[in-house]
Amino acid sequence: MATLSILWVIGAYVLTFSKLADCATWAEWWTYDRTSLSGPENWGKVNAEWSICLKGNKQSPINIRTKDLLYDPNLRRFHVSRHRVNASMQNNGHFVHITIDSSSKHLVNISGGPLQYHYHVSDIVIHFGETNSEGSEHSIDGRFHSGEIQIIGWNSDIYSNATEALGSSNGLAVIALLMKVAEPINIEFDVISNFFSRVKYKGQKEHIRGLSIAELLPASSEFMTYEGSLTYPGCQETVTWIIPNQPFHVSQKDLDFLRELKIGTSDKVIQPMVNNIRPVNPLNHRTVRTNINFRNVSSGCTMEATTFYEVNF
Ligand SMILES: *[C@@H]1O[C@H](CO)[C@@H](O)[C@H](O)[C@H]1NC(C)=O
Ligand SMILES: *[C@@H]1O[C@H](CO)[C@@H](O)[C@H](O)[C@H]1NC(C)=O
Ligand SMILES: *[C@@H]1O[C@H](CO)[C@@H](O)[C@H](O)[C@H]1NC(C)=O
Ligand SMILES: *[C@@H]1O[C@H](CO)[C@@H](O)[C@H](O)[C@H]1NC(C)=O
């Protein structure tokens, strides 16, 4: 009997340890594989800290129906400061993750538009598809672009660091740039794309000097905005999304470089990173606002006639 209870105690310890080990790897564990237990449908089921991925009613990405856009005359232009920053690019096994050096001389702010505060840009995330007709997380009238770059800033007026902002109201602002193969290409992205081959495998990291985030933005000052969440775990519903009303142009070569990336380390048999996209979530009565004043268009009153989007098929 005594032996049995000692064994039982040892068993309990082993269990505790393996649970701890699991916790340590949570950040690694999830995938974009829709057929897998680790896929988007299950992010909120397996880890209690991510339950909002499943239960949340303000989740992202969404499909934007252009006929439901609401013109808001109070929306101003949004601004991204033009300073160049140093950064590092990493393959984290999920997406291309660019982290802005917090020691850079000048930090880049996002402000204006729908935002009441200044947001320090801290991270850039790149999603992309296997073919040119998939790869963006947000869709427009049910159609997808070839990729999506998300420029993430945290509210530095109210909060003291990104971690605190992430879980707090009005914590984050994310600019989503939808990618399209077209001329003229975005030069800044073309420069960044030279680094993709150096982060082909998970864990690889490369420094980027003198990155201009403002140069990534399309020339148009028109945008759409809504309240949502991060599109990866923990799916915190603290994000004001800003989606410029013009895709950003890349070359086929830039996209092909991205498609070489793998989700594993170099010593394993590994899958490509392509289609690292969370499926769209229901809008749930949220409003998507825009500063595009459709009433000014002389050609008629339909919104379709005025949108700049040409989505890949
Ligand atoms: C980037 O790093 C280099 C040194 O590695 C430094 O000389 C330069 O001032 C940094 N640039 C910014 C914008 O911080
Ligand atoms: C960025 O925002 C902070 C407030 O969080 C402000 O103090 C600073 O002046 C802003 N910098 C620029 C370049 O706009
Ligand atoms: C972020 O700020 C909070 C609140 O000020 C603090 O408790 C926490 O330690 C900070 N975290 C980091 C990573 O600096
Ligand atoms: C759009 O129409 C509003 C009035 O409806 C007017 O005040 C504004 O100047 C117009 N904008 C342009 C660019 O024509």
Side-chain angles (χ1 to χ4, degrees):
M1 197 61 191
T3 329
L4 201 70
S5 69
I6 286 169
L7 273 183
W8 187 87
V9 168
I10 291 171
Y13 270 108
V14 171
L15 212 74
T16 314
F17 273 118
S18 64
K19 271 201 158 162
L20 278 178
D22 278 350
C23 289
T25 57
W26 274 129
E28 301 284 309
W29 161 86
W30 60 276
T31 68
Y32 287 104
D33 183 352
R34 294 178 198 191
T35 61
S36 154
L37 264 178
S38 56
E41 298 294 311
N42 296 310
W43 294 346
K45 290 182 191 159
V46 192
N47 181 353
E49 284 187 15
W50 300 344
S51 64
I52 199 162
C53 298
L54 182 70
K55 295 180 187 160
N57 286 331
K58 289 173 60 181
Q59 290 290 295
S60 296
I62 56 166
N63 173 45
I64 293 172
R65 289 158 52 116
T66 51
K67 74 176 178 51
D68 293 343
L69 286 172
L70 186 69
Y71 170 63
D72 182 349
N74 295 314
L75 288 172
R76 301 149 294 168
R77 286 180 83 110
F78 72 92
H79 301 282
V80 174
S81 30
R82 304 202 68 84
H83 308 293
R84 288 188 176 267
V85 290
N86 290 339
S88 63
M89 178 189 286
Q90 188 169 12
N91 175 336
N92 65 5
H94 305 298
F95 38 67
V96 178
H97 185 193
I98 298 173
T99 314
I100 311 302
D101 280 5
S102 49
S103 63
S104 277
K105 267 179 263 162
H106 301 283
L107 297 170
V108 171
N109 284 346
I110 309 173
S111 58
L115 307 173
Q116 306 295 334
Y117 304 102
H118 293 87
Y119 292 75
H120 275 337
V121 176
S122 56
D123 301 271
I124 299 175
V125 167
I126 307 177
H127 302 268
F128 54 95
E130 185 174 10
T131 65
N132 286 7
S133 58
E134 59 194 336
S136 65
E137 295 208 291
H138 288 87
S139 58
I140 313 286
D141 291 331
R143 297 180 193 165
F144 292 88
H145 282 72
S146 313
E148 181 168 327
I149 298 185
Q150 297 168 350
I151 301 169
I152 306 175
W154 58 274
N155 184 336
S156 53
D157 287 344
I158 300 191
Y159 303 114
S160 51
N161 57 52
T163 315
E164 189 193 358
L166 176 70
S168 311
S169 64
N170 298 305
L172 304 178
V174 183
I175 302 175
L177 305 172
L178 305 184
M179 211 186 271
K180 178 186 164 138
V181 175
E183 298 278 339
I185 62 165
N186 183 290
I187 302 297
E188 195 68 22
F189 187 76
D190 199 48
V191 172
I192 295 175
S193 75
N194 291 318
F195 293 85
F196 295 149
S197 62
R198 299 181 218 165
V199 296
K200 188 168 170 186
Y201 300 105
K202 182 179 172 181
Q204 290 184 322
K205 199 170 181 174
E206 191 65 37
H207 288 286
I208 305 177
R209 270 214 213 166
L211 170 69
S212 169
I213 294 164
E215 292 290 331
L216 289 172
L217 300 175
S220 168
S221 62
E222 294 178 325
F223 63 87
M224 299 166 282
T225 180
Y226 78 99
E227 299 296 319
S229 74
L230 282 178
T231 60
Y232 51 86
C235 311
Q236 287 90 343
E237 294 184 337
T238 53
V239 179
T240 302
W241 284 89
I242 299 175
I243 307 175
N245 186 34
Q246 230 173 42
F248 111 103
H249 292 173
V250 301
S251 69
Q252 187 60 51
K253 178 183 66 91
D254 294 342
L255 256 182
D256 291 343
F257 279 147
L258 272 175
R259 291 182 185 146
E260 292 290 310
L261 269 63
K262 313 290 181 196
I263 61 171
T265 49
S266 54
D267 52 349
K268 291 190 196 144
V269 181
I270 34 173
Q271 283 174 281
M273 187 182 271
V274 294
N275 295 344
N276 49 357
I277 5 178
R278 185 185 195 195
V280 294
N281 287 263
L283 191 58
N284 292 332
H285 311 291
R286 280 173 287 176
T287 303
V288 183
R289 295 181 292 149
T290 180
N291 64 347
I292 310 166
N293 187 352
F294 297 99
R295 288 176 306 180
N296 288 33
V297 178
S298 54
S299 62
C301 349
T302 72
M303 292 191 175
E304 278 83 356
T306 59
T307 48
F308 286 98
Y309 278 105
E310 294 168 49
V311 185
N312 303 289
F313 249 135

